[in-house]
């Protein structure tokens, strides 16, 4: 009986995802049979990066406000612009402009930044969700937008971006709880450990403005986050709703926040920071689980076990990036190795052939596409983290080959 | 003395090589417990996947030999040659009077009961998955394994390659097996000079040849009471994993240049009997 209900639900989902459209049917069949690109038929990394950037440009052009459409949904196509992710997509576009030597990506990043300034709320906060809904101030989203605006300020010297960041930072400090966490204006009105990704932009803001109060606020949050780490390295209070089984996406956010804060607080020796140690402890556990299973599951319980039979591709890209950042300062090549494999997995799921511009070059929320993280959709943040992780992999593998005087191997790769 | 080898039936060459090495040391093998390949749940799906990932040769390899040989294409010929080259475990066991047990899972109830009935003094691992405590508790003197790396520093997989990547010496370790991964007490280890190996394949061939003979010699000395197991300090090393080809390219290049480790361990290099 349970399986009949399950099958009926699946059939309903497939119909609502307009599975009868050739491009949707194609991707569903490929996922059902798990026909990913085999390693021997893979292209060099820049091909995948370019395809994902083209997809992100499509997502920006799908809306007329300068922001980036939240995702391409199989059921309803492109969504409205999403302020939070547009915020952290800005640094990706600036980085790619440098990587590809094409200034058009820089111009796009500036359009995104200008749109964000327009939608800033009276309080200094930025709204959650897309603007299709009633604007509600959100802590996490505001933090991510600060990252974009500060980068735009660093690139253009335009003070409007800095002023907007300062207003946003002041609002974040004003709504913080005494224990360092954020409870008000959060997703589902709950405290989340992944708010370490809010602490990180506050440290950056403190560095740029010289205002210590942002850093103090950030450190209070990071210390609170460490108090939520268990013996196994897992973090409590780290899910969107279900804290017992958080997605890799939020686990990776927490790790990113800790790592990047450590890089900012101790630029000479980030690995000596307790935030780095906490991030590495969780990362090591994930590396072990991934390598033993040869598959990165989408969710993890407190013993790093997972009942999930799908992969959260966004989380995979984020973790690959985190492992690369750990390798960057520890030179422990096991992390580089894991990141290259994980990136390769995501590359193998990227469809470069589809005739549908919402699918071609995009990264699915889940693999297979009906997995419960952002199902039947291509979120813009998956493509963003994918580009970030592949660009960093390109840099670090190239550095490794150059150190070993292996130019010929890099070319052949 | 009951010595039993555990391994995978589809890797019979390794099991036979270990058995041969033990017999050469005067330690007869009395039984082999081999795991059979797990059955595919979705056959059609797996055939489509194999065609996609490995090409039609993968399917041809699975065909019965006469059928594969009848194919006129080169691929069919390769498939039948590969099948013919694989040494058969059954005839080997029959020839040497060794009891052979085929089981679906080396940690399962069937393997446990077969091993208990064999009453082994020593279990020898020949390329197995992690063996659980219920199986490790059966043999009188314990279970031994040979590891293609110097413990405790290099645990896990591709460790010879990892050692080269980190400019460390390459070597072999014979150790007792506990429920952890390569964490059991060390019986014997030696570094191996691989400066004459120009590729990873050559290096592995050299290490493979040495490791089974070293394990057999260590087992003999251990059973005679001449070797004292040395417990490992887990924190003195790390667990390594399968190396990606992007990093293997670095290792290949180092080997092509004639690899010499930058660091040296306390263990002196031993003479190596065979060239690459």
């Amino acid at each position: 009986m349970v399986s009949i209900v399950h099958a009926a639900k699946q059939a309903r989902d497939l119909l609502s995802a307009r599975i009868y459209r050739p491009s949707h049917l194609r991707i569903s069949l490929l996922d059902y049979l798990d026909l990913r690109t085999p390693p021997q038929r893979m292209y060099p990394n820049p091909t995948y990066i370019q395809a994902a950037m083209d997809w992100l440009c499509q997502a920006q052009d799908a809306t007329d406000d300068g922001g980036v459409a939240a995702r391409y949904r199989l059921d309803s196509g492109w969504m409205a612009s999403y302020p939070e992710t547009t915020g952290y997509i800005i640094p990706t576009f600036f980085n790619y402009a440098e990587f590809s030597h094409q200034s058009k990506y820089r111009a796009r990043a500036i359009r995104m930044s200008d749109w964000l300034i327009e939608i800033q709320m009276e309080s200094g906060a930025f709204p959650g969700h897309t603007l299709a809904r009633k604007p509600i101030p959100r802590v996490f989203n505001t933090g991510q937008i600060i990252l974009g605006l500060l980068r735009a300020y660093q690139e253009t010297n335009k003070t409007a971006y800095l002023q907007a960041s300062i207003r946003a930072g002041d609002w974040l400090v004003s709504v913080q709880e005494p224990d360092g966490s954020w409870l008000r204006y959060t997703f589902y009105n709950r405290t989340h450990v992944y708010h370490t990704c809010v602490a990180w932009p506050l440290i950056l803001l403190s560095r740029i403005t010289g205002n210590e109060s942002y850093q103090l606020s950030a450190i209070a949050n990071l210390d609170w986050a460490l108090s939520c780490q268990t013996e196994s390295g897992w973090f409590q209070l780290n899910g969107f709703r279900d804290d017992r089984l958080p997605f890799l996406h939020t686990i990776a956010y927490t790790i990113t926040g800790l790592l990047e804060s450590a890089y900012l607080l101790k630029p000479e020796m980030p690995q000596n920071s307790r935030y780095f140690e906490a991030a590495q402890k969780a990362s090591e556990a994930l590396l072990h689980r991934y390598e033993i299973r040869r598959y990165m599951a989408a969710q993890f319980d407190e013993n790093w076990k997972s009942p999930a039979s799908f992969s959260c591709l966004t989380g995979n890209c984020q973790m690959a990036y985190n492992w690369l950042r750990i390798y960057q300062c520890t030179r422990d090549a096991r992390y580089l190795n894991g990141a290259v494999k994980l990136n390769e997995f995501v590359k193998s799921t990227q469809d470069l052939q589809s005739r549908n511009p919402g699918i071609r070059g995009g990264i699915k929320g889940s693999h297979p596409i009906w997995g419960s993280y952002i199902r039947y959709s291509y979120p813009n943040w998956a493509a963003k983290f994918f580009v970030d992780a592949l660009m960093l992999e390109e840099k670090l593998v190239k550095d490794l080959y150059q150190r070993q005087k292996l130019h010929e191997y890099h070319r052949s790769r | 003395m009951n010595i039993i080898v555990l391994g995978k039936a589809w890797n019979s060459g390794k099991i036979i090589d270990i058995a041969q090495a033990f017999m050469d040391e005067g330690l007869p093998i009395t039984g082999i417990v081999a795991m059979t390949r797990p059955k595919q749940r979705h056959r059609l799906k797996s055939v489509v996947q194999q065609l996609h990932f490995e090409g039609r040769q993968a399917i041809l390899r699975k065909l019965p030999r006469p059928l594969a040989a009848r194919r006129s294409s080169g691929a069919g010929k390769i498939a039948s040659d590969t099948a013919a080259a694989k040494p058969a475990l059954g005839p080997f066991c029959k020839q040497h009077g060794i009891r052979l047990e085929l089981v679906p899972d080396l940690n399962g109830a069937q393997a446990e009961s077969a091993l208990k009935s064999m009453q082994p003094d020593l279990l020898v691992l020949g390329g197995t998955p992690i063996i659980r405590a219920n199986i490790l508790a059966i043999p009188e003197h314990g279970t031994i394994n040979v590891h293609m790396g110097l413990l405790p520093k290099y645990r896990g997989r591709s460790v010879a390659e990892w050692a080269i990547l980190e400019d460390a010496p390459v070597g072999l370790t014979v150790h007792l097996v506990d429920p952890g991964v390569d964490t059991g007490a060390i019986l014997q280890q030696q570094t191996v000079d691989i400066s004459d190996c120009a590729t990873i394949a050559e290096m592995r061939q050299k290490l493979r040849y040495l490791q089974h003979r070293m394990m057999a010699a260590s087992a003999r000395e251990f059973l005679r009471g001449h070797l004292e197991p040395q417990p490992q300090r887990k924190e003195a090393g790390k667990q390594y994993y399968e190396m990606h080809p992007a990093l293997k390219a670095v290792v290949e290049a180092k080997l092509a240049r004639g690899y010499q480790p930058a660091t040296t361990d306390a263990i002196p290099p031993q003479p190596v009997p065979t060239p690459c």
Side-chain angles (χ1 to χ4, degrees):
Chain A
M1 186 62 190
V2 174
S3 62
I4 292 171
V5 172
H6 182 69
K9 271 187 184 167
Q10 288 271 22
R12 189 197 60 197
D13 283 355
L14 283 170
L15 276 176
S16 68
R18 297 189 295 171
I19 196 74
Y20 43 83
R21 286 188 66 174
S23 60
H24 295 187
L25 181 63
R26 180 173 180 273
I27 201 78
S28 303
L29 273 175
L30 287 175
D31 278 14
Y32 173 71
L33 294 166
D34 197 21
L35 299 184
R36 294 173 283 109
T37 312
Q40 67 271 20
R41 274 189 248 149
M42 287 218 165
Y43 300 106
N45 279 346
T47 307
Y48 296 93
I49 300 173
Q50 181 65 60
M53 286 303 295
D54 288 346
W55 185 93
L56 281 167
C57 292
Q58 290 273 355
Q60 189 181 22
D61 296 342
T63 66
D64 54 9
D65 51 21
V68 184
R71 48 181 150 139
Y72 176 81
R73 292 169 59 141
L74 296 196
D75 61 355
S76 54
W78 292 106
M79 287 179 71
S81 296
Y82 193 16
E84 174 208 330
T85 55
T86 298
Y88 60 41
I89 285 172
I90 292 169
T92 303
F93 270 65
F94 278 123
N95 291 340
Y96 188 69
E98 199 178 314
F99 181 88
S100 65
H101 309 290
Q102 294 183 70
S103 59
K104 64 179 182 181
Y105 295 101
R106 195 180 148 81
R108 281 179 174 274
I110 292 169
R111 268 176 60 208
M112 291 177 208
S113 313
D114 291 341
W115 174 65
L116 289 171
I117 286 185
E118 281 172 28
I119 61 160
Q120 189 167 24
M121 300 172 87
E122 194 73 14
S123 60
F126 282 92
H129 305 297
T130 61
L131 296 189
R133 298 194 200 177
K134 185 186 163 210
I136 299 167
R138 282 273 181 265
V139 165
F140 187 79
N141 308 46
T142 301
Q144 306 324 294
I145 291 168
I146 291 176
L147 283 177
L149 292 177
L150 286 178
R151 181 61 187 269
Y153 168 68
Q154 287 171 320
E155 294 282 341
T156 63
N157 265 331
K158 204 171 148 186
T159 50
Y161 301 134
L162 181 62
Q163 291 307 325
S165 305
I166 290 170
R167 285 177 60 213
D170 290 342
W171 178 77
L172 285 173
V173 174
S174 73
V175 297
Q176 193 175 24
E177 300 299 315
D179 65 358
S181 69
W182 277 279
L183 175 61
R184 288 171 292 158
Y185 308 109
T186 58
F187 206 37
Y188 294 111
N189 294 315
R190 298 156 63 107
T191 51
H192 301 288
V193 171
Y194 62 77
H195 283 148
T196 55
C197 265
V198 177
W200 157 38
L202 281 177
I203 298 173
L204 196 58
L205 185 60
S206 171
R207 285 284 181 278
I208 291 171
T209 60
N211 183 341
E212 279 271 316
S213 68
Y214 302 126
Q215 183 163 314
L216 290 174
S217 162
I219 286 174
N221 179 261
L222 294 170
D223 288 341
W224 171 80
L226 292 201
S227 74
C228 296
Q229 191 171 32
T230 66
E231 198 58 38
S232 69
W234 188 79
F235 293 96
Q236 297 165 324
L237 305 175
N238 203 21
F240 288 129
R241 273 175 107 164
D242 185 359
D243 287 330
R244 291 165 307 167
L245 206 56
F247 283 114
L248 181 64
H249 174 52
T250 54
I251 297 171
Y253 266 148
T254 301
I255 295 171
T256 304
L258 290 166
L259 280 177
E260 297 302 332
S261 299
Y263 265 97
L264 285 170
L265 292 168
K266 287 197 173 180
E268 301 302 318
M269 296 285 272
Q271 63 269 42
N272 290 350
S273 155
R274 63 185 189 278
Y275 307 128
F276 189 97
E277 280 172 17
Q280 194 174 2
K281 191 174 182 184
S283 300
E284 176 89 29
L286 280 166
L287 182 70
H288 183 71
R289 295 303 302 178
Y290 167 65
E291 293 279 15
I292 296 296
R293 277 189 72 176
R294 297 181 183 198
Y295 180 74
M296 185 61 104
Q299 293 163 292
F300 290 93
D301 71 10
E302 60 186 324
N303 298 312
W304 296 107
K305 298 238 164 82
S306 179
S309 58
F310 66 99
S311 201
C312 165
L313 297 182
T314 315
N316 287 3
C317 301
Q318 290 171 271
M319 264 331 289
Y321 186 85
N322 288 337
W323 287 342
L324 291 169
R325 291 291 274 161
I326 292 175
Y327 163 74
Q328 243 180 327
C329 73
T330 62
R331 292 286 159 207
D332 183 342
R334 296 175 310 142
Y335 289 104
L336 174 66
N337 189 52
V340 173
K341 288 185 202 173
L342 204 47
N343 278 340
E344 190 168 271
F345 176 81
V346 183
K347 280 189 288 181
S348 76
T349 68
Q350 189 187 23
D351 191 342
L352 303 180
Q353 314 295 335
S354 178
R355 289 181 181 180
N356 182 340
I359 291 177
R360 189 179 55 246
I363 302 295
K364 293 171 289 185
S366 292
H367 179 80
I369 198 164
W370 49 86
S372 66
Y373 178 73
I374 315 285
R375 57 172 37 195
Y376 295 114
S377 292
Y378 289 74
N380 69 19
W381 54 101
K384 173 250 168 9
F385 289 122
F386 177 68
V387 171
D388 288 350
L390 275 192
M391 281 198 293
L392 188 55
E393 179 195 312
E394 272 295 289
K395 178 185 179 304
L396 295 178
V397 172
K398 203 170 169 182
D399 286 353
L400 175 70
Y401 284 13
Q402 276 171 356
R403 276 205 308 277
Q404 303 290 342
K405 299 186 177 66
L406 286 176
H407 308 292
E408 68 276 23
Y409 281 89
H410 188 244
R411 272 203 299 275
S412 71
R413 211 185 148 230
Chain B
M1 183 66 66
N2 268 344
I3 301 177
I4 313 288
V5 182
L6 300 187
K8 293 172 183 163
W10 63 91
N11 197 0
S12 54
K14 182 164 187 157
I15 299 176
I16 291 171
D17 195 37
I18 290 172
Q20 201 65 61
F22 272 69
M23 288 188 283
D24 291 349
E25 286 288 339
L27 296 170
I29 299 295
T30 52
I32 291 173
V33 178
M35 176 184 167
T36 52
R37 221 182 257 279
K39 282 190 180 139
Q40 298 283 354
R41 275 178 61 217
H42 304 286
R43 279 198 82 77
L44 181 64
K45 198 169 163 178
S46 100
V47 167
V48 175
Q49 283 176 342
Q50 281 189 20
L51 268 172
H52 176 75
F53 285 110
E54 298 164 42
R56 63 194 174 100
Q57 282 197 26
I59 305 296
L60 285 167
R61 273 197 296 271
K62 297 266 162 72
L63 291 175
R65 267 167 62 191
L67 207 61
R70 261 207 300 275
R71 302 264 176 204
S72 55
S73 72
K77 187 158 188 320
I78 291 165
S80 80
D81 288 352
T82 312
K86 207 175 245 181
L89 207 50
F92 175 82
C93 290
K94 203 169 177 184
Q95 186 192 343
H96 293 91
I98 297 170
R99 181 177 160 187
L100 174 64
E101 292 283 345
L102 295 174
V103 295
D105 174 9
L106 286 173
N107 291 306
Q110 203 179 327
E112 190 174 341
S113 92
L115 281 168
K116 278 181 177 162
S117 72
M118 290 172 168
Q119 295 181 318
D121 294 295
L122 187 71
L123 281 185
V124 179
L125 301 191
T128 63
I130 304 287
I131 299 296
R132 307 249 175 259
N134 60 322
I135 302 293
L136 296 177
I138 297 171
E140 169 100 26
H141 296 291
T143 302
I144 68 165
N145 181 43
V146 64
H147 177 68
M148 217 183 255
L150 294 171
L151 293 173
K153 199 169 175 194
Y154 292 96
R155 298 194 301 271
R157 298 171 65 88
S158 302
V159 281
E161 289 88 337
W162 281 108
I164 295 169
L165 191 75
E166 295 179 358
D167 295 321
V170 172
L172 298 167
T173 305
V174 179
H175 63 97
L176 291 175
V177 180
D178 68 8
V181 177
D182 304 322
T183 48
I186 294 168
L187 291 176
Q188 207 167 25
Q189 59 186 170
Q190 69 172 60
T191 52
V192 178
D193 178 10
I194 51 153
S195 57
D196 53 346
C197 300
T199 63
I200 291 177
E202 283 182 15
M203 173 192 71
R204 288 201 150 256
Q205 193 185 350
K206 184 172 188 173
L207 293 173
R208 249 197 309 269
Y209 176 85
L210 284 172
Q211 67 177 0
H212 298 151
R213 275 130 204 96
M214 183 180 165
M215 178 159 66
S218 304
R220 189 193 60 216
E221 295 304 305
F222 172 61
L223 290 170
R224 284 178 183 169
H226 294 168
L227 280 180
E228 188 62 39
Q230 300 296 319
Q232 288 191 55
R233 276 175 45 246
K234 201 178 166 188
E235 61 279 9
K238 287 188 280 203
Q239 184 167 352
Y240 290 82
Y241 309 99
E242 187 71 40
M243 188 181 274
H244 187 273
L247 273 68
K248 276 188 182 167
V250 176
V251 175
E252 290 280 13
K254 284 185 165 187
L255 284 168
R257 288 200 290 253
Y259 178 68
Q260 289 293 342
T263 58
T264 50
D265 275 10
I267 314 150
Q270 303 292 312
V272 176
T274 54
C276 271

